[in-house]
Amino acid sequence: SSGINAEYGDQRILINTDHWDPKTGCVFFYTGNEGAIELFAQNSGLLFDLAPDFSAAVVFAEHRYYGSSLPFGTVNASFADPAHSRYMTVEQAMADFADNIVWLRSTMLEVSDV
């Protein structure tokens, strides 16, 4: 299916499977920046242009603490306690994206060799 919006805990993921072939395709995984993921998805035409040639799924994962991916539910709750900022690191973002890929492969994209 195309244009699926999936929630991964408190982190949003946008998935387009218009050209996805689970047997031969790949996944183009866009790691989110400092903003709402929809803006990046709407302005990243190259990934969508290349997807048919690679039988690819196109996935955009929103960066924790940006857009609607707030780890403590709201902007106030996520930023009010300075201790919460310990999760706003490059290492944590990379760990989130690695978890996203494992989840995508085993559930949404139904790849069996995880």
Side-chain angles (χ1 to χ4, degrees):
S1 60
S2 136
I4 299 170
N5 292 327
E7 291 289 329
Y8 181 77
D10 292 324
Q11 190 171 14
R12 287 190 308 161
I13 300 174
L14 307 179
I15 304 169
N16 180 289
T17 55
D18 285 350
H19 304 288
W20 169 242
D21 181 340
K23 291 185 173 74
T24 62
C26 61
V27 176
F28 296 153
F29 188 87
Y30 185 98
T31 58
N33 299 335
E34 295 84 9
I37 199 63
E38 296 91 352
L39 298 175
F40 299 106
Q42 293 165 0
N43 292 290
S44 299
L46 180 62
L47 295 177
F48 294 103
D49 291 345
L50 293 174
D53 294 335
F54 291 88
S55 303
V58 179
V59 177
F60 289 83
E62 190 165 68
H63 191 295
R64 183 191 296 233
Y65 285 94
Y66 294 97
S68 297
S69 296
L70 300 167
F72 297 95
T74 66
V75 171
N76 286 343
S78 295
F79 291 100
D81 184 345
H84 291 172
S85 65
R86 72 179 183 266
Y87 299 110
M88 193 175 179
T89 65
V90 170
E91 293 82 7
Q92 186 63 56
M94 298 311 298
D96 288 345
F97 295 142
D99 285 345
N100 296 155
I101 291 168
V102 169
W103 175 80
L104 283 163
R105 289 176 52 90
S106 65
T107 59
M108 294 297 297
L109 299 178
E110 301 176 5
V111 177
S112 61
D113 65 344
V114 175

